[in-house]
Amino acid sequence: MLKRALIPVAVALALSACAVGPDYSRPKVELPAAQAGAQAPAVDADWWKRFDDPTLNQLIEEAVKGNLDLQAAAARVEQAAAQAGIARAALLPALNANAGYQRGRSSRELANPASPLISDARSANLAASWELDLWGKLRRGNEAARAGYQASRYDRDAAQLALSAQVAQTYFQMRALDAQLDIAKRTLQSREESLKLQTKRFHGGLISELDQRQAEVEAASARASVPQIARSLEQTETALGVLLGHSPKQLAEGGLVRGKDINSLASPPDVPADLPSSLLERRPDVASSEQQLIAANARIGVAKAAYFPSISLTGALGSQSLSLDSLFTGPTRTWSFAGNLAAPIFNFGATGYNVDAATAGQKQALAQYQKTVQSAFKDALDSLAANGAARDILQAQTTQVTALNRTLKLAGLRYDNGYASYLDVLDAQRNSFQAELNLINAKLDKLNATIGVYKALGGGWEGQRCTRYWVTSSST
């Protein structure tokens, strides 16, 4: 009766006891204040679809399924989920079943003459055990494991966000090189035709050898640019194939599909002039860092619980019999109940050192969390500044190309009518060719800058209106 009365008391103590160690509270980080009543724009998770290129959408989907780094991140989530399950199971009683059979022969000299020399013994029982979590050691361990699981999920999300951004940037790089290669080939064709014309004029005595040699130099220069751009294009295709998780055979075969050219891609939406700091809470690296801080904070409680006694209860119910037929009859029934208390007395300060180590780990996690938040704001500010600068450069580069193309046309007319030297034509050709290449680079930089904003803010945004917040860009 006394044992039956002790069991519910122990259960009540286990359920009502408070866990030792500090409870988690989010650290205070000095953030710019948002305007009262302002709302953040809605989340746009599939931000890459804003570029309106079905091929890009397909490539990112393929990368999410086939990228090996992302597969490893997903496996780490599964591992963390299993570890969280183990920690959660430790809070509950364990039940085990045992069955045994024993057969033996006794010594003839020592055996009772009335007893048989060979005997059989059979047994079957259920054994239950439960550690009473009076001080919260198991609950803190479960809290730490659960936070570790959440951190692994956020790490996977961060890896997927980085992968999507890298695939988009590499794809745009490939399309930019495609455009530059096309410009180089057209320029080469134009300069070879010009070289043929200048060679005929030289042989006809209409121009000097200097003009003919200058045309030859420009043709050779354009001829050298084609394989240079082609080499960069092949390397970019291989890099994109690795991101997609292609096999070595697929990498060797190449032949990645193309979508819209870089000049036909939809212009991404302008970055709102003021984006809220609350968008940074969507960054998975910030969320992961906080979960790691939660886990480190809980481990302090696990370490401190070692100062207190550990109480465990065990019980067994079963049957023992010499005959299988009578194994489960009343006379063969057995049971047992035991309580065990283990209390630390002296271990040369090992428990205190464990608490100190856990506390130091929490301090490290806190510093890392604050550093992650700091880096998130830096990334956002840098990406917004880069986006504004890239937009201005693109506008200036577009104006320059228009002006240089007109200059090239006028230089050709002046040369044909004897008002300018061939050197003026060559200068205009070189400037026009380089400007067209630079314009492609400017378009690529603008696309990459927009991707940088998406990545820095943990994804895209929806809505055109956004009230004033801390983050300011030069987009309008």
Side-chain angles (χ1 to χ4, degrees), residues 145-311:
R146 188 170 61 247
Y149 166 62
Q150 293 293 343
S152 69
R153 294 182 59 189
Y154 287 125
D155 288 339
R156 178 201 58 196
D157 294 343
Q160 183 169 333
L161 175 61
L163 174 64
S164 301
Q166 194 170 3
V167 169
Q169 290 175 332
T170 307
Y171 173 73
F172 291 150
Q173 174 72 28
M174 182 179 69
R175 300 306 286 136
L177 289 171
D178 285 335
Q180 290 182 336
L181 183 60
D182 181 65
I183 293 172
K185 288 180 178 179
R186 286 190 286 105
T187 300
L188 174 60
Q189 181 181 0
S190 175
R191 291 186 181 179
E192 285 181 340
E193 292 175 354
S194 178
L195 174 59
K196 290 179 181 179
L197 178 59
Q198 294 300 92
T199 300
K200 289 182 180 179
R201 288 180 175 181
F202 168 66
H203 290 311
L206 298 177
I207 61 173
S208 66
E209 183 181 358
L210 177 61
D211 289 346
Q212 192 271 339
R213 292 298 182 185
Q214 287 174 332
E216 187 177 358
V217 168
E218 293 304 314
S221 176
R223 194 176 300 112
S225 67
V226 172
Q228 290 175 351
I229 298 175
R231 179 190 62 189
S232 298
L233 179 58
E234 291 177 0
Q235 293 173 341
T236 302
E237 287 181 331
T238 302
L240 183 55
V242 170
L243 292 175
L244 299 178
H246 286 181
S247 66
K249 179 181 178 182
Q250 291 174 306
L251 292 177
E253 292 174 351
L256 291 173
V257 295
R258 261 70 166 172
K260 295 183 177 181
D261 62 68
I262 197 167
N263 296 311
S264 301
L265 287 168
S267 299
D270 287 336
V271 181
D274 303 287
L275 286 174
S277 58
S278 59
L279 287 178
L280 289 181
E281 294 181 359
R282 299 182 304 157
R283 280 182 59 127
D285 59 336
V286 175
S288 173
S289 183
E290 183 177 12
Q291 291 299 320
Q292 291 170 7
L293 176 59
I294 294 174
N297 189 79
R299 293 188 189 104
I300 297 177
V302 175
K304 285 187 174 181
Y307 281 119
F308 303 96
S310 174
I311 301 176

Side-chain angles (χ1 to χ4, degrees), residues 2 14 17 27 60 152 180 215 239 358 400 434 445 447:
L2 178 61
I60 291 181
S152 69
Q180 290 182 336
Q400 185 185 39
Q434 189 59 50
D445 289 344
L447 292 170

